[in-house]
């Protein structure tokens, strides 16, 4: 579930990189990076590592809980990244980021509310069943 999609994505990116000729500009990109070559490489390496950890975590959630919950957690993480970019890197908060954050939070709140409604409904049904069952303690004497 993790290895093959990652390999296919890596191959597709490499084919696109070399087919378009963009690979020729990689050294220029690294040299023009404001924080230096080491920071450029560290950014690329830690981005790749964090993506793999994210994929493994999502797969673990699928196996341990459900695919829906894994998707909800992924969706809930969407507004966190732009907020961290604003606070840590002083990135601008534009309208597109705000809309994406609002939609992600709305989706997460909708999931939590639906889970609350389902739980409340099941508890109500259990209470109704318990009230309908007669007390049988004295029936066998």
């Amino acid at each position: 579930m993790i290895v093959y999609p990652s390999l296919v994505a890596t191959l597709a990116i490499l084919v696109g990189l070399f087919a378009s000729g963009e690979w020729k500009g990689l050294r220029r990109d690294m040299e023009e990076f404001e924080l230096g070559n080491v920071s450029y490489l560290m950014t690329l390496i830690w981005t790749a590592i964090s993506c793999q950890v994210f994929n493994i975590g999502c797969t673990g959630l699928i196996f341990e809980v459900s695919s829906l919950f894994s998707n909800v957690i992924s969706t809930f993480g969407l507004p966190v990244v732009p907020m961290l970019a604003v606070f840590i890197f002083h990135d601008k908060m534009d309208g597109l980021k705000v809309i994406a954050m609002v939609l992600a939070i709305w989706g997460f709140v909708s999931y939590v509310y639906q889970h609350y409604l389902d739980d409340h409904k099941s508890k109500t049904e259990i209470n109704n069943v318990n009230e309908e069952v007669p007390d049988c303690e004295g029936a066998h004497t």
Side-chain angles (χ1 to χ4, degrees), residues 22-88:
E22 287 288 321
W23 63 274
K24 296 174 186 174
L26 290 178
R27 177 154 315 273
R28 182 179 38 85
D29 287 344
M30 185 168 65
E31 291 169 355
E32 291 177 358
F33 193 68
E34 293 176 6
L35 301 175
N37 294 347
V38 175
S39 294
Y40 182 79
L41 289 174
M42 294 300 287
T43 300
L44 292 179
I45 291 168
W46 285 107
T47 300
I49 290 171
S50 64
C51 285
Q52 291 303 316
V53 169
F54 172 78
N55 285 332
I56 291 169
C58 285
T59 304
L61 283 174
I62 290 170
F63 286 127
E64 292 296 323
V65 184
S66 72
S67 59
L68 176 64
F69 185 71
S70 176
N71 193 23
V72 167
I73 294 300
S74 299
T75 303
F76 185 63
L78 287 175
V80 173
V81 174
M83 286 191 299
L84 289 176
V86 168
F87 292 122
I88 294 173

Side-chain angles (χ1 to χ4, degrees), residues 69-140:
F69 185 71
S70 176
N71 193 23
V72 167
I73 294 300
S74 299
T75 303
F76 185 63
L78 287 175
V80 173
V81 174
M83 286 191 299
L84 289 176
V86 168
F87 292 122
I88 294 173
F89 300 118
H90 307 291
D91 197 12
K92 286 187 175 182
M93 181 63 73
D94 58 356
L96 187 60
K97 287 181 187 174
V98 171
I99 291 171
M101 288 173 46
V102 168
L103 289 174
I105 292 169
W106 182 16
F108 181 75
V109 169
S110 297
Y111 172 77
V112 170
Y113 183 66
Q114 185 62 47
H115 190 22
Y116 166 77
L117 290 177
D118 292 343
D119 187 49
H120 182 69
K121 181 180 177 184
S122 68
K123 285 181 181 179
T124 303
E125 289 173 358
I126 289 172
N127 288 338
N128 289 342
V129 169
N130 288 339
E131 290 174 0
E132 292 175 5
V133 175
D135 189 16
C136 300
E137 290 179 12
H140 295 290

Side-chain angles (χ1 to χ4, degrees), residues 1-13 51-52 55:
M1 280 182 80
I2 295 174
V3 175
Y4 292 120
S6 295
L7 285 175
V8 170
T10 301
L11 289 174
I13 289 170
C51 285
Q52 291 303 316
N55 285 332

